[in-house]
Amino acid sequence: MRAVIGGIPGVGKSTVLDILRAKLGARLEVVNYGTVMMEEAKLRGAADRDQMRRLPAQVQREIQASAARKISSMKVEFLLVDTHFSIKTPQGYLPGMPSHVVSALAPDALIVLFASAEEISSRRAADATRVRESSIESVREELEMERLFAVAASNECGAPLAMIMNRQGEAEGAANALAAVMGV
Ligand SMILES: Nc1ncnc2c1ncn2[C@@H]1O[C@H](COP(=O)(O)OP(=O)(O)O)[C@@H](O)[C@H]1O
């Protein structure tokens, strides 16, 4: 079973995935799509994520695609690809799972993890280690775009899309809902 999970920064994705990892142990492999992309980019001479972002767009597309092929060849009972369906950039929202990527991954399920804009906004504001836009308006827009791009990816690959809410103080519940969607 191969699934793709996306969620905007601060939604609690790392927290929920850690809980699921603790439950499933070796049956589950969580693969961070950005990390695999970076491994592929290193083979093409980029030293870090900033250099990767500055590579010609066509090279970045190739990196995205080869990361997807690498992930789709992994053999494990439950594989969860940790990513973002949309990435906010100064030029606009970038699709994290454009058609050539989601088709190469061929997931069985897509999941968007979401939370209330108010909670995400206060979690971002509390995290002094990162510089992130934390206004409620901005978070609301990102949440909406994450959903819209996930719908587009679902339509592209034909996999069902589940929406899972990470309620304040109930990350365990969100991890259980995720396990249920994955058929654990
Ligand atoms: N259900 C929840 N209830 C309360 N706090 C949460 C919940 N989920 C995550 N958090 C907290 O929110 C912050 C961001 O969570 P994190 O998992 O790092 O987000 P992400 O990986 O999506 O950026 C952390 O301080 C985490 O402890």
Side-chain angles (χ1 to χ4, degrees):
M1 151 38 121
R2 196 184 303 156
V4 174
I5 185 165
I8 69 169
V11 76
K13 193 147 52 79
S14 314
T15 306
V16 171
L17 293 182
D18 284 348
I19 296 171
L20 193 66
R21 246 193 230 104
K23 279 183 201 295
L24 292 185
R27 296 172 70 198
L28 173 74
E29 179 99 43
V30 178
V31 183
N32 184 287
Y33 189 75
T35 303
V36 180
M37 263 190 78
M38 194 57 236
E39 287 163 8
E40 294 295 307
K42 279 192 179 135
L43 301 175
R44 292 165 174 83
D48 55 33
R49 284 181 193 235
D50 287 330
Q51 286 191 8
M52 179 165 76
R53 261 197 297 275
R54 282 190 221 108
L55 289 169
Q58 183 53 36
V59 177
Q60 294 198 45
R61 274 177 65 85
E62 283 165 27
I63 292 171
Q64 269 186 313
S66 53
R69 281 195 299 274
K70 191 169 175 188
I71 293 169
S72 65
S73 70
M74 293 176 177
K75 302 270 176 281
V76 61
E77 189 180 358
F78 295 103
L79 180 68
L80 200 45
V81 181
D82 172 3
T83 188
H84 302 280
F85 289 105
S86 63
I87 298 120
K88 194 175 183 182
T89 78
Q91 290 77 36
Y93 287 89
L94 195 75
M97 288 283 121
S99 60
H100 73 285
V101 173
V102 80
S103 301
L105 278 175
D108 302 298
L110 303 178
I111 301 117
V112 168
L113 188 69
F114 70 104
S116 86
E118 288 75 9
E119 280 162 22
I120 295 171
S121 168
S122 54
R123 286 177 201 161
R124 284 188 184 181
D127 183 356
T129 65
R130 301 281 301 270
V131 182
R132 292 189 294 210
E133 173 69 72
S134 62
S135 77
I136 291 178
E137 280 317 303
S138 162
V139 170
R140 267 206 193 103
E141 183 184 287
E142 286 175 50
L143 280 169
E144 188 188 355
M145 295 308 281
E146 185 71 3
R147 249 182 224 135
L148 293 172
F149 276 92
V151 169
S154 170
N155 191 58
E156 196 59 55
C157 71
L161 171 63
M163 300 289 301
I164 296 179
M165 174 136 192
N166 179 26
R167 288 197 167 76
Q168 189 69 20
E170 294 179 24
E172 180 89 30
N176 288 337
L178 178 54
V181 166
M182 295 187 74
V184 176

